[in-house]
Amino acid sequence: MRRWWWLPALLVAGLLPWLPGLPLFWVSLANTIGISAIIAVGLVVLTGVGCMTSFAQASFMGFGAYATAILSARYGLSPWLGLPAALAFAALGAAAIGAVTLRLSGHYLALGTIAWGVSLYFLFGNLDLLGRNDGISDIPPLSVFSLKLVDVRWSAGLIWGCVVGVVVTTNHLLDSRWGRAIRALRGGTLAAASFGVNTARARMLSFVYAAMLAGLAGWLYAHLQRAVNPTPFGLAAGIQYLLMTVVGGAAFVPGALLGAGLVAIVNDRLQEWLPLLLGTGGSYETIVFGIILVAVLQLAPEGLWPHLMRPRLRKRLIVEAEPLARRARATGEILRADRLRKNFGGLLAVNDLSFTVAAGEILGLIGPNGAGKSTSFNLLTGVADPSGGTVTVSGCDVTTWPARRIATLGVARSFQHVKLVAAMSVIENVAIGAHLRGSASPIAAVLRLDRAEEARLFAEAARQLARVGLAEYADQPATSLALGQQRIVEIARALCLDPALLLLDEPAAGLRHAEKQALATLLRRLRADGMAILLVEHDMDFVMNLADRLVVMDFGTVIAQGQPAAVRSDPAVIEAYLGGVA
Ligand code: ADP
Ligand code: MG
């Protein structure tokens, strides 16, 4: 039933407008809401889930509208041919604009899209091809065989049919390997990139997808209105679409429908009431919407939807699936750091660090706070660029590789400051670790052809979660766990990559005694399995009992290395840790 909800929804969309006695005014308003909702759903993917704010969605709607207008009104082609053209034009426009704009992030990206919104508006109004400010009129209506869909009630069926389709495909996309990648952008790009997610591509994917939905809306709009001009594709409209998404609840697909409905109805009322209150002239509704936007951001930054419905994480049915193929275990040296250095301005955080880790070995990297351990991790995993020296993984010089590429060699890590995505369940976070072990494309996801692979990835995530002893928390929100347990979730995520080399930054911090023992047992088992493990840890007893060798750092420099027993009694180490008291 749950999977087929859209069938009754389609029926309702088609039949409801024909309800006897329903004023056509309401049907028209519903059409406006439906078209806006399609754009707002795109913004959910882009802004709510992917954390990229765009004010330019109205421009992409314009791309779609003008594309179909030119083909059908100027060249007499069927309006149905305008649909692929509208989608393709919006997608290409977004890809081109995204290529130069998506390097920006946060507020700068938002400002960039404002600039595009303004300039594209003037472009629409100044191109002869597009009819300048008068636009293009005499656009034919959509027709099915000889039936022309001129009646708003027919259009309502089509528009809301599209809304249902868009909601379905968007849910499919978000519930897939690439959807997880987009959702993981919320936790910053660092953690996702460390598991091989091409974060730039994930950002581009959501930008192009949102633009294509806007293009679809533009196509519907052009054939409904039968005329286009630049006005509805300007910045004011772009602001309104963003407002709809934010009011409804930017992270929720149903929120987009709610927001589109509310804003369209308020807009309609304001058009009527404001002139009565303030006299005619001036578009004061923009000011009112500005005030509403600020109020929503202050009072309910999550939007209205989560206040109406407590959003619940979907429980995942873990199905038995054949195990993913395992990496052939390498032997011998896995990691080599050679005279690795890192300067932060005048501070030498890592100074000529050299060591190796072999398969089936646990190397402990220890030292007082600020010694440079976490920085070393970042240099080894491609998160930060070394100022000097080289890093070699399984014989490859990876010194200049980005984190995403180093992950492909089977290098997985956990973070000292836990980087799980709060809006995702524990098992979904763990599944990000398996990103590189799947290959389904976003198109396969939208068409739901990725189910077998998804089952394998989730079965693997469930297996690793069980391995670290947290199976019972699979469906909880990741951040509802104690901090110590969240570190263990990060280990399960790392194990999902099937790593040859595992780097753990203070995994035992915040664990109780019994949990530490369980972790030690797990790490011993991984070592016996042939994994190379680099361990940064503060708990001396923990590392001393576990590590085969230790490297001790202080002020960025190695002050001792060797067997734990020898290191423990080294005077330089005692001096560094106890300030010479012992
Ligand atoms: P550890 O993990 O051993 O406690 P870190 O590697 O985090 O130490 O830090 C080593 C030194 O580098 C510290 O003095 C810290 O303040 C400095 N440092 C770390 N990251 C940065 C950064 N991004 N910019 C400037 N200084 C940094
Ligand atoms: Mg640290």
Side-chain angles (χ1 to χ4, degrees):
M1 179 60 216
R2 164 174 221 151
R3 290 185 58 186
W4 300 107
W5 62 266
W6 51 271
L7 263 180
L10 271 179
L11 263 178
V12 171
L15 293 179
L16 203 60
W18 298 95
L19 214 64
L22 187 70
L24 283 188
F25 162 78
W26 285 105
V27 181
S28 290
L29 187 62
N31 286 352
T32 311
I33 292 173
I35 289 177
S36 314
I38 292 173
I39 300 176
V41 168
L43 275 172
V44 166
V45 175
L46 186 64
T47 306
V49 178
C51 289
M52 287 164 273
T53 308
S54 167
F55 289 93
Q57 294 315 100
S59 313
F60 295 124
M61 182 186 180
F63 280 31
Y66 276 113
T68 194
I70 288 175
L71 286 185
S72 60
R74 291 265 163 83
Y75 293 100
L77 293 177
S78 156
W80 294 104
L81 282 179
L83 176 59
L87 294 179
F89 212 64
L92 288 177
I97 289 175
V100 293
T101 317
L102 285 181
R103 288 161 200 274
L104 305 174
S105 61
H107 301 312
Y108 297 103
L109 175 60
L111 286 174
T113 61
I114 289 178
W116 280 112
V118 172
S119 37
L120 288 170
Y121 170 74
F122 283 110
L123 189 71
F124 292 148
N126 283 296
L127 280 183
D128 282 327
L129 173 72
L130 306 182
R132 294 177 168 267
N133 283 321
D134 296 329
I136 299 171
S137 48
D138 297 327
I139 300 174
L142 289 164
S143 56
V144 180
F145 301 113
S146 61
L147 174 71
K148 288 195 157 72
L149 304 184
V150 269
D151 192 314
V152 285
R153 285 171 293 199
W154 282 117
S155 312
L158 178 71
I159 290 170
W160 281 90
C162 287
V163 172
V164 172
V166 159
V167 169
V168 170
T169 51
T170 303
N171 280 334
H172 286 179
L173 179 67
L174 290 178
D175 176 33
S176 75
R177 177 171 159 268
W178 275 102
R180 265 193 308 285
I182 296 173
R183 295 162 72 193
L185 295 174
R186 218 163 227 282
T189 54
L190 208 72
S194 294
F195 291 96
V197 175
N198 187 333
T199 49
R201 197 178 290 170
R203 284 162 66 87
M204 181 61 99
L205 169 64
S206 41
F207 196 64
V208 169
Y209 182 75
M212 286 175 78
L213 294 196
L216 169 65
W219 174 75
L220 287 168
Y221 175 89
H223 294 290
L224 182 73
Q225 297 290 326
R226 318 274 303 277
V228 291
N229 68 61
T231 313
F233 312 130
L235 186 62
I239 294 173
Q240 219 172 78
Y241 295 125
L242 195 62
L243 177 71
M244 290 174 180
T245 314
V246 171
V247 165
F252 308 95
V253 172
L257 306 192
L258 176 71
L262 285 178
V263 171
I265 290 169
V266 170
N267 193 15
D268 178 70
R269 292 295 90 197
L270 287 179
Q271 306 270 7
E272 199 162 298
W273 294 337
L274 281 182
L276 297 180
L277 276 175
L278 302 167
T280 42
S283 44
Y284 295 106
E285 63 271 9
T286 308
I287 300 172
V288 176
F289 279 126
I291 295 170
I292 295 178
L293 181 59
V294 172
V296 169
L297 288 177
Q298 290 284 338
L299 300 174
E302 303 260 84
L304 299 178
W305 182 256
H307 291 272
L308 295 179
M309 309 269 157
R310 216 141 249 300
R312 261 171 303 164
L313 289 170
R314 191 133 75 80
K315 208 172 170 77
R316 271 200 175 265
L317 227 57
I318 307 296
V319 289
E320 277 299 316
E322 56 183 292
L324 295 174
R326 289 196 50 192
R327 191 184 297 278
R329 281 273 168 260
T331 49
E333 179 186 297
I334 302 286
L335 174 68
R336 167 179 292 269
D338 192 23
R339 281 169 291 130
L340 217 47
R341 299 167 72 86
K342 181 68 181 177
N343 293 3
F344 289 117
L347 177 82
L348 196 52
V350 176
N351 182 10
D352 275 343
L353 176 68
S354 300
F355 64 85
T356 63
V357 192
E361 183 185 38
I362 299 180
L363 180 74
L365 182 61
I366 63 173
N369 256 333
K373 307 180 295 291
S374 294
T375 305
S376 305
F377 258 47
N378 290 342
L379 299 181
L380 295 169
T381 51
V383 167
D385 288 327
S387 318
T390 55
V391 180
T392 314
V393 174
S394 302
C396 290
D397 182 344
V398 301
T399 315
T400 54
W401 288 21
R404 169 166 63 83
R405 197 160 160 219
I406 293 181
T408 61
L409 293 179
V411 176
R413 65 172 296 182
S414 71
F415 293 86
Q416 180 179 355
H417 303 288
V418 175
K419 294 191 195 307
L420 297 176
V421 186
M424 286 162 73
S425 69
V426 167
I427 191 153
E428 286 176 318
N429 269 288
V430 172
I432 291 172
H435 183 83
L436 283 173
R437 303 176 77 187
S439 59
S441 69
I443 294 171
V446 163
L447 299 175
R448 220 55 173 167
L449 300 173
D450 61 345
R451 291 299 96 186
E453 178 181 288
E454 279 286 290
R456 282 199 295 277
L457 297 186
F458 271 90
E460 178 69 16
R463 234 183 328 265
Q464 299 305 342
L465 207 50
R467 196 176 186 186
V468 301
L470 293 178
E472 60 189 293
Y473 300 106
D475 296 313
Q476 310 241 344
T479 41
S480 69
L481 270 57
L483 204 57
Q485 288 175 318
Q486 292 187 32
R487 290 179 190 286
I488 304 297
V489 172
E490 284 213 338
I491 297 179
R493 180 175 66 185
L495 292 178
C496 257
L497 183 85
D498 187 22
L501 171 67
L502 184 62
L503 299 100
L504 303 178
D505 200 346
E506 304 204 9
L511 293 189
R512 288 186 292 252
H513 184 66
E515 293 171 325
K516 279 186 190 179
Q517 283 183 323
L519 176 62
T521 310
L522 171 69
L523 295 184
R524 283 198 186 94
R525 224 178 279 143
L526 294 174
R527 168 175 62 188
D529 204 27
M531 213 173 273
I533 301 175
L534 180 62
L535 180 69
V536 163
E537 188 45 67
H538 248 67
D539 183 331
M540 273 305 157
D541 287 333
F542 185 81
V543 252
M544 289 285 173
N545 286 324
L546 202 58
D548 301 293
R549 286 184 301 125
L550 290 177
V551 172
V552 191
M553 291 176 81
D554 195 15
F555 295 113
T557 312
V558 174
I559 55 170
Q561 56 179 314
Q563 308 274 322
V567 163
R568 172 172 265 174
S569 51
D570 191 305
V573 176
I574 296 171
E575 165 85 23
Y577 268 90
L578 303 172
V581 180

